[in-house]
PDB file of all heavy atoms in Angstrom:
ATOM      1  N   LYS A  15       4.810  14.228   9.190  1.00 88.00           N
ATOM      2  CA  LYS A  15       5.254  12.853   9.404  1.00 88.00           C
ATOM      3  C   LYS A  15       4.200  12.086  10.200  1.00 88.00           C
ATOM      4  O   LYS A  15       3.383  12.672  10.917  1.00 88.00           O
ATOM      5  CB  LYS A  15       6.576  12.845  10.174  1.00 88.00           C
ATOM      6  CG  LYS A  15       7.718  13.550   9.458  1.00 88.00           C
ATOM      7  CD  LYS A  15       8.941  13.601  10.348  1.00 88.00           C
ATOM      8  CE  LYS A  15      10.056  14.418   9.703  1.00 88.00           C
ATOM      9  NZ  LYS A  15      11.235  14.544  10.601  1.00 88.00           N
ATOM     10  N   GLU A  16       4.249  10.787  10.086  1.00 86.00           N
ATOM     11  CA  GLU A  16       3.294   9.949  10.823  1.00 86.00           C
ATOM     12  C   GLU A  16       3.533  10.053  12.327  1.00 86.00           C
ATOM     13  O   GLU A  16       2.599  10.040  13.132  1.00 86.00           O
ATOM     14  CB  GLU A  16       3.429   8.498  10.361  1.00 86.00           C
ATOM     15  CG  GLU A  16       2.373   7.582  10.951  1.00 86.00           C
ATOM     16  CD  GLU A  16       2.394   6.204  10.321  1.00 86.00           C
ATOM     17  OE1 GLU A  16       2.709   6.103   9.113  1.00 86.00           O
ATOM     18  OE2 GLU A  16       2.109   5.238  11.024  1.00 86.00           O
ATOM     19  N   VAL A  17       4.797  10.150  12.715  1.00 84.00           N
ATOM     20  CA  VAL A  17       5.129  10.296  14.128  1.00 84.00           C
ATOM     21  C   VAL A  17       6.416  11.107  14.232  1.00 84.00           C
ATOM     22  O   VAL A  17       7.278  11.033  13.351  1.00 84.00           O
ATOM     23  CB  VAL A  17       5.290   8.917  14.822  1.00 84.00           C
ATOM     24  CG1 VAL A  17       6.456   8.142  14.244  1.00 84.00           C
ATOM     25  CG2 VAL A  17       5.415   9.076  16.330  1.00 84.00           C
ATOM     26  N   TYR A  18       6.528  11.891  15.298  1.00 80.00           N
ATOM     27  CA  TYR A  18       7.714  12.730  15.509  1.00 80.00           C
ATOM     28  C   TYR A  18       8.484  12.220  16.721  1.00 80.00           C
ATOM     29  O   TYR A  18       7.920  12.068  17.818  1.00 80.00           O
ATOM     30  CB  TYR A  18       7.295  14.190  15.727  1.00 80.00           C
ATOM     31  CG  TYR A  18       6.853  14.874  14.461  1.00 80.00           C
ATOM     32  CD1 TYR A  18       5.554  14.718  13.989  1.00 80.00           C
ATOM     33  CD2 TYR A  18       7.728  15.651  13.714  1.00 80.00           C
ATOM     34  CE1 TYR A  18       5.140  15.328  12.814  1.00 80.00           C
ATOM     35  CE2 TYR A  18       7.320  16.270  12.540  1.00 80.00           C
ATOM     36  CZ  TYR A  18       6.026  16.098  12.093  1.00 80.00           C
ATOM     37  OH  TYR A  18       5.626  16.701  10.923  1.00 80.00           O
ATOM     38  N   CYS A  19       9.761  11.946  16.517  1.00 79.00           N
ATOM     39  CA  CYS A  19      10.597  11.427  17.606  1.00 79.00           C
ATOM     40  C   CYS A  19      11.931  12.155  17.689  1.00 79.00           C
ATOM     41  O   CYS A  19      12.851  11.699  18.362  1.00 79.00           O
ATOM     42  CB  CYS A  19      10.857   9.936  17.400  1.00 79.00           C
ATOM     43  SG  CYS A  19       9.351   8.955  17.264  1.00 79.00           S
ATOM     44  N   VAL A  20      12.054  13.285  17.007  1.00 64.00           N
ATOM     45  CA  VAL A  20      13.335  13.991  16.961  1.00 64.00           C
ATOM     46  C   VAL A  20      13.602  14.668  18.301  1.00 64.00           C
ATOM     47  O   VAL A  20      12.719  15.312  18.851  1.00 64.00           O
ATOM     48  CB  VAL A  20      13.310  15.053  15.840  1.00 64.00           C
ATOM     49  CG1 VAL A  20      14.638  15.793  15.769  1.00 64.00           C
ATOM     50  CG2 VAL A  20      12.998  14.403  14.509  1.00 64.00           C
ATOM     51  N   PRO A  21      14.798  14.527  18.859  1.00 58.00           N
ATOM     52  CA  PRO A  21      15.121  15.232  20.105  1.00 58.00           C
ATOM     53  C   PRO A  21      14.970  16.740  19.910  1.00 58.00           C
ATOM     54  O   PRO A  21      15.326  17.292  18.875  1.00 58.00           O
ATOM     55  CB  PRO A  21      16.584  14.855  20.363  1.00 58.00           C
ATOM     56  CG  PRO A  21      16.789  13.597  19.597  1.00 58.00           C
ATOM     57  CD  PRO A  21      15.911  13.701  18.392  1.00 58.00           C
ATOM     58  N   ILE A  22      14.428  17.403  20.907  1.00 62.00           N
ATOM     59  CA  ILE A  22      14.131  18.828  20.817  1.00 62.00           C
ATOM     60  C   ILE A  22      15.030  19.619  21.752  1.00 62.00           C
ATOM     61  O   ILE A  22      15.252  19.234  22.906  1.00 62.00           O
ATOM     62  CB  ILE A  22      12.652  19.089  21.189  1.00 62.00           C
ATOM     63  CG1 ILE A  22      11.722  18.312  20.265  1.00 62.00           C
ATOM     64  CG2 ILE A  22      12.328  20.577  21.140  1.00 62.00           C
ATOM     65  CD1 ILE A  22      11.830  18.661  18.811  1.00 62.00           C
ATOM     66  N   LYS A  23      15.550  20.742  21.262  1.00 67.00           N
ATOM     67  CA  LYS A  23      16.336  21.643  22.090  1.00 67.00           C
ATOM     68  C   LYS A  23      15.396  22.300  23.103  1.00 67.00           C
ATOM     69  O   LYS A  23      14.408  22.917  22.719  1.00 67.00           O
ATOM     70  CB  LYS A  23      17.006  22.697  21.205  1.00 67.00           C
ATOM     71  CG  LYS A  23      17.880  23.686  21.957  1.00 67.00           C
ATOM     72  CD  LYS A  23      18.468  24.708  20.981  1.00 67.00           C
ATOM     73  CE  LYS A  23      19.293  25.748  21.728  1.00 67.00           C
ATOM     74  NZ  LYS A  23      19.793  26.799  20.811  1.00 67.00           N
ATOM     75  N   MET A  24      15.676  22.173  24.389  1.00 66.00           N
ATOM     76  CA  MET A  24      14.718  22.599  25.400  1.00 66.00           C
ATOM     77  C   MET A  24      15.249  23.724  26.306  1.00 66.00           C
ATOM     78  O   MET A  24      14.689  23.979  27.359  1.00 66.00           O
ATOM     79  CB  MET A  24      14.332  21.406  26.272  1.00 66.00           C
ATOM     80  CG  MET A  24      13.519  20.351  25.541  1.00 66.00           C
ATOM     81  SD  MET A  24      11.918  20.958  24.996  1.00 66.00           S
ATOM     82  CE  MET A  24      11.138  21.262  26.572  1.00 66.00           C
ATOM     83  N   ASP A  25      16.322  24.410  25.910  1.00 76.00           N
ATOM     84  CA  ASP A  25      16.897  25.389  26.830  1.00 76.00           C
ATOM     85  C   ASP A  25      16.331  26.799  26.650  1.00 76.00           C
ATOM     86  O   ASP A  25      16.710  27.717  27.368  1.00 76.00           O
ATOM     87  CB  ASP A  25      18.429  25.416  26.697  1.00 76.00           C
ATOM     88  CG  ASP A  25      18.889  25.756  25.273  1.00 76.00           C
ATOM     89  OD1 ASP A  25      18.022  25.830  24.381  1.00 76.00           O
ATOM     90  OD2 ASP A  25      20.104  25.944  25.075  1.00 76.00           O
ATOM     91  N   GLU A  26      15.410  27.001  25.679  1.00 88.00           N
ATOM     92  CA  GLU A  26      14.791  28.316  25.520  1.00 88.00           C
ATOM     93  C   GLU A  26      13.758  28.535  26.602  1.00 88.00           C
ATOM     94  O   GLU A  26      13.004  27.632  26.965  1.00 88.00           O
ATOM     95  CB  GLU A  26      14.117  28.439  24.147  1.00 88.00           C
ATOM     96  CG  GLU A  26      15.087  28.625  23.007  1.00 88.00           C
ATOM     97  CD  GLU A  26      14.379  28.926  21.685  1.00 88.00           C
ATOM     98  OE1 GLU A  26      13.139  29.067  21.685  1.00 88.00           O
ATOM     99  OE2 GLU A  26      15.066  29.001  20.661  1.00 88.00           O
ATOM    100  N   MET A  27      13.696  29.774  27.099  1.00 92.00           N
ATOM    101  CA  MET A  27      12.716  30.115  28.120  1.00 92.00           C
ATOM    102  C   MET A  27      11.884  31.310  27.654  1.00 92.00           C
ATOM    103  O   MET A  27      12.364  32.164  26.904  1.00 92.00           O
ATOM    104  CB  MET A  27      13.416  30.463  29.440  1.00 92.00           C
ATOM    105  CG  MET A  27      14.115  29.283  30.087  1.00 92.00           C
ATOM    106  SD  MET A  27      12.970  27.954  30.551  1.00 92.00           S
ATOM    107  CE  MET A  27      12.104  28.731  31.910  1.00 92.00           C
ATOM    108  N   PRO A  28      10.624  31.395  28.083  1.00 94.00           N
ATOM    109  CA  PRO A  28       9.807  32.552  27.718  1.00 94.00           C
ATOM    110  C   PRO A  28      10.355  33.824  28.352  1.00 94.00           C
ATOM    111  O   PRO A  28      10.953  33.784  29.432  1.00 94.00           O
ATOM    112  CB  PRO A  28       8.420  32.199  28.285  1.00 94.00           C
ATOM    113  CG  PRO A  28       8.672  31.179  29.339  1.00 94.00           C
ATOM    114  CD  PRO A  28       9.887  30.423  28.911  1.00 94.00           C
ATOM    115  N   GLY A  29      10.162  34.939  27.649  1.00 96.00           N
ATOM    116  CA  GLY A  29      10.581  36.231  28.188  1.00 96.00           C
ATOM    117  C   GLY A  29      12.009  36.613  27.883  1.00 96.00           C
ATOM    118  O   GLY A  29      12.455  37.695  28.263  1.00 96.00           O
ATOM    119  N   VAL A  30      12.756  35.724  27.205  1.00 95.00           N
ATOM    120  CA  VAL A  30      14.144  36.038  26.846  1.00 95.00           C
ATOM    121  C   VAL A  30      14.360  35.721  25.371  1.00 95.00           C
ATOM    122  O   VAL A  30      13.668  34.888  24.790  1.00 95.00           O
ATOM    123  CB  VAL A  30      15.158  35.256  27.717  1.00 95.00           C
ATOM    124  CG1 VAL A  30      15.066  35.695  29.164  1.00 95.00           C
ATOM    125  CG2 VAL A  30      14.928  33.758  27.610  1.00 95.00           C
ATOM    126  N   PHE A  31      15.322  36.396  24.756  1.00 96.00           N
ATOM    127  CA  PHE A  31      15.654  36.210  23.347  1.00 96.00           C
ATOM    128  C   PHE A  31      15.849  34.722  23.055  1.00 96.00           C
ATOM    129  O   PHE A  31      16.487  34.028  23.828  1.00 96.00           O
ATOM    130  CB  PHE A  31      16.934  36.999  23.029  1.00 96.00           C
ATOM    131  CG  PHE A  31      17.305  37.014  21.577  1.00 96.00           C
ATOM    132  CD1 PHE A  31      16.852  38.025  20.750  1.00 96.00           C
ATOM    133  CD2 PHE A  31      18.089  36.005  21.034  1.00 96.00           C
ATOM    134  CE1 PHE A  31      17.194  38.041  19.400  1.00 96.00           C
ATOM    135  CE2 PHE A  31      18.425  36.011  19.690  1.00 96.00           C
ATOM    136  CZ  PHE A  31      17.981  37.037  18.872  1.00 96.00           C
ATOM    137  N   PRO A  32      15.275  34.206  21.971  1.00 96.00           N
ATOM    138  CA  PRO A  32      14.545  34.880  20.894  1.00 96.00           C
ATOM    139  C   PRO A  32      13.016  34.877  21.064  1.00 96.00           C
ATOM    140  O   PRO A  32      12.310  35.048  20.095  1.00 96.00           O
ATOM    141  CB  PRO A  32      14.950  34.066  19.660  1.00 96.00           C
ATOM    142  CG  PRO A  32      15.049  32.670  20.191  1.00 96.00           C
ATOM    143  CD  PRO A  32      15.584  32.800  21.589  1.00 96.00           C
ATOM    144  N   PHE A  33      12.529  34.667  22.277  1.00 97.00           N
ATOM    145  CA  PHE A  33      11.109  34.818  22.622  1.00 97.00           C
ATOM    146  C   PHE A  33      10.186  33.802  21.934  1.00 97.00           C
ATOM    147  O   PHE A  33       8.990  34.042  21.822  1.00 97.00           O
ATOM    148  CB  PHE A  33      10.625  36.245  22.320  1.00 97.00           C
ATOM    149  CG  PHE A  33      11.500  37.311  22.903  1.00 97.00           C
ATOM    150  CD1 PHE A  33      12.374  38.042  22.099  1.00 97.00           C
ATOM    151  CD2 PHE A  33      11.478  37.569  24.264  1.00 97.00           C
ATOM    152  CE1 PHE A  33      13.198  39.011  22.645  1.00 97.00           C
ATOM    153  CE2 PHE A  33      12.306  38.538  24.826  1.00 97.00           C
ATOM    154  CZ  PHE A  33      13.164  39.270  24.020  1.00 97.00           C
ATOM    155  N   THR A  34      10.737  32.691  21.487  1.00 96.00           N
ATOM    156  CA  THR A  34       9.906  31.669  20.844  1.00 96.00           C
ATOM    157  C   THR A  34       8.730  31.282  21.726  1.00 96.00           C
ATOM    158  O   THR A  34       7.601  31.109  21.249  1.00 96.00           O
ATOM    159  CB  THR A  34      10.739  30.406  20.544  1.00 96.00           C
ATOM    160  OG1 THR A  34      11.942  30.776  19.873  1.00 96.00           O
ATOM    161  CG2 THR A  34       9.942  29.413  19.691  1.00 96.00           C
ATOM    162  N   ARG A  35       8.981  31.188  23.022  1.00 96.00           N
ATOM    163  CA  ARG A  35       7.980  30.653  23.944  1.00 96.00           C
ATOM    164  C   ARG A  35       7.106  31.734  24.570  1.00 96.00           C
ATOM    165  O   ARG A  35       6.235  31.427  25.389  1.00 96.00           O
ATOM    166  CB  ARG A  35       8.677  29.833  25.033  1.00 96.00           C
ATOM    167  CG  ARG A  35       9.502  28.679  24.472  1.00 96.00           C
ATOM    168  CD  ARG A  35       9.950  27.742  25.549  1.00 96.00           C
ATOM    169  NE  ARG A  35       8.794  27.167  26.238  1.00 96.00           N
ATOM    170  CZ  ARG A  35       8.883  26.535  27.411  1.00 96.00           C
ATOM    171  NH1 ARG A  35      10.059  26.390  28.002  1.00 96.00           N
ATOM    172  NH2 ARG A  35       7.802  26.049  27.966  1.00 96.00           N
ATOM    173  N   GLY A  36       7.310  32.993  24.178  1.00 97.00           N
ATOM    174  CA  GLY A  36       6.472  34.067  24.708  1.00 97.00           C
ATOM    175  C   GLY A  36       7.290  35.289  25.044  1.00 97.00           C
ATOM    176  O   GLY A  36       8.485  35.188  25.345  1.00 97.00           O
ATOM    177  N   VAL A  37       6.643  36.456  24.997  1.00 97.00           N
ATOM    178  CA  VAL A  37       7.378  37.696  25.233  1.00 97.00           C
ATOM    179  C   VAL A  37       7.503  38.028  26.719  1.00 97.00           C
ATOM    180  O   VAL A  37       8.286  38.896  27.101  1.00 97.00           O
ATOM    181  CB  VAL A  37       6.733  38.885  24.480  1.00 97.00           C
ATOM    182  CG1 VAL A  37       6.919  38.722  22.983  1.00 97.00           C
ATOM    183  CG2 VAL A  37       5.255  39.057  24.839  1.00 97.00           C
ATOM    184  N   HIS A  38       6.730  37.358  27.566  1.00 96.00           N
ATOM    185  CA  HIS A  38       6.806  37.587  29.004  1.00 96.00           C
ATOM    186  C   HIS A  38       7.049  36.267  29.721  1.00 96.00           C
ATOM    187  O   HIS A  38       6.551  35.213  29.298  1.00 96.00           O
ATOM    188  CB  HIS A  38       5.517  38.223  29.534  1.00 96.00           C
ATOM    189  CG  HIS A  38       5.170  39.512  28.859  1.00 96.00           C
ATOM    190  ND1 HIS A  38       5.991  40.620  28.907  1.00 96.00           N
ATOM    191  CD2 HIS A  38       4.096  39.868  28.113  1.00 96.00           C
ATOM    192  CE1 HIS A  38       5.443  41.591  28.213  1.00 96.00           C
ATOM    193  NE2 HIS A  38       4.294  41.172  27.720  1.00 96.00           N
ATOM    194  N   GLY A  39       7.780  36.327  30.816  1.00 94.00           N
ATOM    195  CA  GLY A  39       8.156  35.120  31.524  1.00 94.00           C
ATOM    196  C   GLY A  39       6.980  34.321  32.055  1.00 94.00           C
ATOM    197  O   GLY A  39       6.989  33.094  32.030  1.00 94.00           O
ATOM    198  N   ALA A  40       5.954  35.011  32.555  1.00 94.00           N
ATOM    199  CA  ALA A  40       4.805  34.310  33.155  1.00 94.00           C
ATOM    200  C   ALA A  40       3.574  34.349  32.269  1.00 94.00           C
ATOM    201  O   ALA A  40       2.577  33.699  32.579  1.00 94.00           O
ATOM    202  CB  ALA A  40       4.487  34.907  34.528  1.00 94.00           C
ATOM    203  N   MET A  41       3.611  35.108  31.188  1.00 96.00           N
ATOM    204  CA  MET A  41       2.505  35.218  30.231  1.00 96.00           C
ATOM    205  C   MET A  41       1.158  35.370  30.943  1.00 96.00           C
ATOM    206  O   MET A  41       1.007  36.240  31.771  1.00 96.00           O
ATOM    207  CB  MET A  41       2.521  34.032  29.269  1.00 96.00           C
ATOM    208  CG  MET A  41       3.666  34.109  28.243  1.00 96.00           C
ATOM    209  SD  MET A  41       3.607  35.552  27.161  1.00 96.00           S
ATOM    210  CE  MET A  41       2.241  35.100  26.085  1.00 96.00           C
ATOM    211  N   TYR A  42       0.181  34.486  30.646  1.00 97.00           N
ATOM    212  CA  TYR A  42      -1.185  34.700  31.125  1.00 97.00           C
ATOM    213  C   TYR A  42      -1.357  34.430  32.618  1.00 97.00           C
ATOM    214  O   TYR A  42      -2.404  34.752  33.187  1.00 97.00           O
ATOM    215  CB  TYR A  42      -2.160  33.824  30.336  1.00 97.00           C
ATOM    216  CG  TYR A  42      -2.105  34.024  28.836  1.00 97.00           C
ATOM    217  CD1 TYR A  42      -2.150  32.923  27.986  1.00 97.00           C
ATOM    218  CD2 TYR A  42      -2.014  35.293  28.259  1.00 97.00           C
ATOM    219  CE1 TYR A  42      -2.111  33.086  26.604  1.00 97.00           C
ATOM    220  CE2 TYR A  42      -1.963  35.462  26.892  1.00 97.00           C
ATOM    221  CZ  TYR A  42      -2.013  34.356  26.067  1.00 97.00           C
ATOM    222  OH  TYR A  42      -1.972  34.519  24.713  1.00 97.00           O
ATOM    223  N   ARG A  43      -0.356  33.859  33.264  1.00 94.00           N
ATOM    224  CA  ARG A  43      -0.428  33.698  34.726  1.00 94.00           C
ATOM    225  C   ARG A  43      -0.392  35.061  35.403  1.00 94.00           C
ATOM    226  O   ARG A  43      -0.951  35.235  36.496  1.00 94.00           O
ATOM    227  CB  ARG A  43       0.714  32.816  35.232  1.00 94.00           C
ATOM    228  CG  ARG A  43       0.557  31.350  34.876  1.00 94.00           C
ATOM    229  CD  ARG A  43       1.822  30.572  35.141  1.00 94.00           C
ATOM    230  NE  ARG A  43       2.136  30.502  36.564  1.00 94.00           N
ATOM    231  CZ  ARG A  43       1.880  29.440  37.327  1.00 94.00           C
ATOM    232  NH1 ARG A  43       1.287  28.366  36.800  1.00 94.00           N
ATOM    233  NH2 ARG A  43       2.212  29.426  38.598  1.00 94.00           N
ATOM    234  N   ASP A  44       0.277  36.020  34.763  1.00 94.00           N
ATOM    235  CA  ASP A  44       0.335  37.385  35.290  1.00 94.00           C
ATOM    236  C   ASP A  44      -0.782  38.266  34.738  1.00 94.00           C
ATOM    237  O   ASP A  44      -1.398  39.038  35.468  1.00 94.00           O
ATOM    238  CB  ASP A  44       1.682  38.032  34.938  1.00 94.00           C
ATOM    239  CG  ASP A  44       2.769  37.681  35.939  1.00 94.00           C
ATOM    240  OD1 ASP A  44       2.448  37.024  36.951  1.00 94.00           O
ATOM    241  OD2 ASP A  44       3.930  38.046  35.702  1.00 94.00           O
ATOM    242  N   ARG A  45      -1.030  38.139  33.423  1.00 95.00           N
ATOM    243  CA  ARG A  45      -2.010  39.018  32.795  1.00 95.00           C
ATOM    244  C   ARG A  45      -2.574  38.342  31.552  1.00 95.00           C
ATOM    245  O   ARG A  45      -1.826  37.886  30.686  1.00 95.00           O
ATOM    246  CB  ARG A  45      -1.348  40.348  32.400  1.00 95.00           C
ATOM    247  CG  ARG A  45      -2.298  41.317  31.730  1.00 95.00           C
ATOM    248  CD  ARG A  45      -1.564  42.583  31.296  1.00 95.00           C
ATOM    249  NE  ARG A  45      -2.445  43.471  30.567  1.00 95.00           N
ATOM    250  CZ  ARG A  45      -2.069  44.614  29.990  1.00 95.00           C
ATOM    251  NH1 ARG A  45      -0.808  44.993  30.054  1.00 95.00           N
ATOM    252  NH2 ARG A  45      -2.923  45.370  29.351  1.00 95.00           N
ATOM    253  N   LEU A  46      -3.897  38.292  31.474  1.00 96.00           N
ATOM    254  CA  LEU A  46      -4.538  37.719  30.298  1.00 96.00           C
ATOM    255  C   LEU A  46      -4.356  38.624  29.087  1.00 96.00           C
ATOM    256  O   LEU A  46      -4.017  39.810  29.222  1.00 96.00           O
ATOM    257  CB  LEU A  46      -6.030  37.521  30.556  1.00 96.00           C
ATOM    258  CG  LEU A  46      -6.418  36.434  31.560  1.00 96.00           C
ATOM    259  CD1 LEU A  46      -7.916  36.486  31.815  1.00 96.00           C
ATOM    260  CD2 LEU A  46      -6.001  35.047  31.080  1.00 96.00           C
ATOM    261  N   TRP A  47      -4.582  38.077  27.907  1.00 96.00           N
ATOM    262  CA  TRP A  47      -4.603  38.895  26.697  1.00 96.00           C
ATOM    263  C   TRP A  47      -5.739  39.913  26.770  1.00 96.00           C
ATOM    264  O   TRP A  47      -6.708  39.733  27.508  1.00 96.00           O
ATOM    265  CB  TRP A  47      -4.766  37.989  25.474  1.00 96.00           C
ATOM    266  CG  TRP A  47      -6.089  37.261  25.436  1.00 96.00           C
ATOM    267  CD1 TRP A  47      -7.253  37.676  24.861  1.00 96.00           C
ATOM    268  CD2 TRP A  47      -6.375  35.982  26.019  1.00 96.00           C
ATOM    269  NE1 TRP A  47      -8.246  36.746  25.042  1.00 96.00           N
ATOM    270  CE2 TRP A  47      -7.740  35.694  25.752  1.00 96.00           C
ATOM    271  CE3 TRP A  47      -5.627  35.051  26.731  1.00 96.00           C
ATOM    272  CZ2 TRP A  47      -8.355  34.528  26.180  1.00 96.00           C
ATOM    273  CZ3 TRP A  47      -6.240  33.875  27.157  1.00 96.00           C
ATOM    274  CH2 TRP A  47      -7.586  33.629  26.877  1.00 96.00           C
TER     275      TRP A  47
END
Side-chain angles (χ1 to χ4, degrees):
K15 299 175 185 177
E16 187 171 327
V17 64
Y18 286 83
C19 304
V20 180
I22 301 299
K23 181 181 177 184
M24 292 296 295
D25 59 353
E26 285 187 4
M27 293 297 290
V30 294
F31 186 91
F33 309 105
T34 310
R35 302 191 60 195
V37 291
H38 303 298
M41 287 299 287
Y42 304 138
R43 288 168 66 101
D44 275 355
R45 180 183 176 184
L46 291 173
W47 65 90

